[in-house]
Amino acid sequence: MNATRVIDEKYEIRDEIKRGGFGIIYQGVDLLFGKPVAIKAVEPALLHEAKYIDMFQAEALSIARLNHHNIVHIYDINRDEQDHSYIVMDYTDGCDLTQLIRACRQTKTAIPLHLGVYIVAEACAGLDYAHNRRDSETNKPLNVVHQDITPSNIMLTRNGEVKVIDFGMAQFYRKQVLKKNEVSIQGKVNYLAPEQLNGAANIDRRTDIFALGLVLYEVITGERFFQAQNPQQNIEMLRSNKWDI
């Protein structure tokens, strides 16, 4: 996809920000209000059938109902004439936690303990809100679980705000692969909870808490808890429940 492309005469795509397992995020502009936005172009392979497009839109609309200062807000979903799907969300001017950790490793400096704990505590606040969210009309729990908590999905703004991104994407992808008896790892094996390897139908908030605990460990120590370079080794370690704590 070329830069400066316009979607639905409303959003202009400009510079690429980052790539991930679910697609590419671009910096864009809301042409009506003249403000910066982030635009995620969803990986086309995830939406290869009509039923998955409908499923994706339903999932995204559900997540768009979340409204918390520690969660990046989604406010539009679009599809162009080539059937490419886009999520339009708030633009976060800053970096993600992975970039901060990497910069500290390169300079052989540690993230100050108070700053690391603050970042994780703010992510906790956003997750706690999502986990306890109820439908505004029926008051039934929405049972929102992120399922892909990693440093790269925790954004840090220039003015010190912490925002969790990519709610619902892992859950949407998992709904597809479970039909094929596959495990969705998407390159994030280092932060998976054991139940995610088994295709457990009862995944709940504890999955996010486990992953965020791994993030906290990495922020404090500067190293990942699961350090195997081979994804299969990490999977075997998770399944064995024999960890050197």
Side-chain angles (χ1 to χ4, degrees):
M1 182 168 54
N2 298 324
T4 69
R5 181 173 181 177
V6 176
I7 305 171
D8 197 26
E9 300 183 352
K10 294 166 64 176
Y11 307 106
E12 183 179 88
I13 294 176
R14 293 188 176 175
D15 301 321
E16 179 178 326
I17 299 175
K18 63 188 293 188
R19 290 174 179 257
F22 300 114
I24 307 172
I25 300 180
Y26 297 90
Q27 181 178 353
V29 176
D30 183 322
L31 297 176
L32 179 60
F33 296 102
K35 67 176 184 179
V37 294
I39 301 172
K40 167 163 280 193
V42 181
E43 175 58 46
L46 294 179
L47 304 175
H48 58 281
E49 295 182 23
K51 62 180 179 180
Y52 290 147
I53 295 176
D54 294 338
M55 188 190 304
F56 163 75
Q57 290 181 326
E59 196 73 54
L61 286 171
S62 174
I63 301 305
R65 294 153 74 181
L66 300 179
N67 184 19
H68 190 272
H69 66 279
N70 292 122
I71 298 175
V72 169
H73 184 60
I74 296 173
Y75 57 87
D76 203 355
I77 304 160
N78 253 283
R79 197 190 317 174
D80 66 12
E81 60 276 5
Q82 281 83 39
D83 256 359
H84 293 137
S85 294
Y86 304 90
I87 302 174
V88 183
M89 50 194 164
D90 288 331
Y91 173 69
T92 302
D93 185 16
C95 68
D96 62 42
L97 186 52
T98 290
Q99 293 170 311
L100 176 61
I101 292 172
R102 186 180 297 125
C104 288
R105 285 175 182 157
Q106 291 173 347
T107 57
K108 297 182 179 181
T109 57
I111 298 176
L113 182 60
H114 70 281
L115 177 60
V117 172
Y118 165 77
I119 292 170
V120 175
E122 290 291 285
C124 279
L127 287 172
D128 183 67
Y129 164 83
H131 292 160
N132 292 293
R133 191 79 171 91
R134 290 176 174 269
D135 188 283
S136 58
E137 295 183 1
T138 66
N139 202 40
K140 292 182 178 179
L142 293 178
N143 297 317
V144 174
V145 184
H146 190 289
Q147 299 188 46
D148 191 29
I149 291 297
T150 67
S152 62
N153 280 335
I154 299 175
M155 297 294 299
L156 315 172
T157 71
R158 292 182 184 273
N159 61 357
E161 296 176 318
V162 178
K163 295 183 180 290
V164 179
I165 66 172
D166 264 3
F167 262 98
M169 291 303 295
Q171 183 170 330
F172 163 73
Y173 186 73
R174 177 175 166 272
K175 285 179 180 178
Q176 299 180 67
V177 298
L178 281 181
K179 299 179 185 300
K180 307 173 187 177
N181 296 317
E182 296 174 352
V183 175
S184 170
I185 56 176
Q186 287 295 307
K188 308 290 182 65
V189 179
N190 301 87
Y191 306 96
L192 286 183
E195 63 269 22
Q196 287 177 287
L197 298 177
N198 304 320
N202 60 340
I203 285 178
D204 58 28
R205 68 180 68 195
R206 290 172 293 183
T207 298
D208 289 345
I209 295 171
F210 182 92
L212 194 57
L214 297 179
V215 172
L216 176 61
Y217 179 93
E218 186 172 352
V219 166
I220 291 175
T221 67
E223 299 179 350
R224 289 177 175 174
F225 184 81
F226 297 114
Q227 298 186 28
Q229 298 300 314
N230 185 335
Q232 188 58 40
Q233 289 180 303
N234 277 322
I235 291 174
E236 291 172 359
M237 190 179 301
L238 276 173
R239 285 178 170 156
S240 71
N241 289 326
K242 296 178 180 179
W243 310 334
D244 183 10
I245 301 178

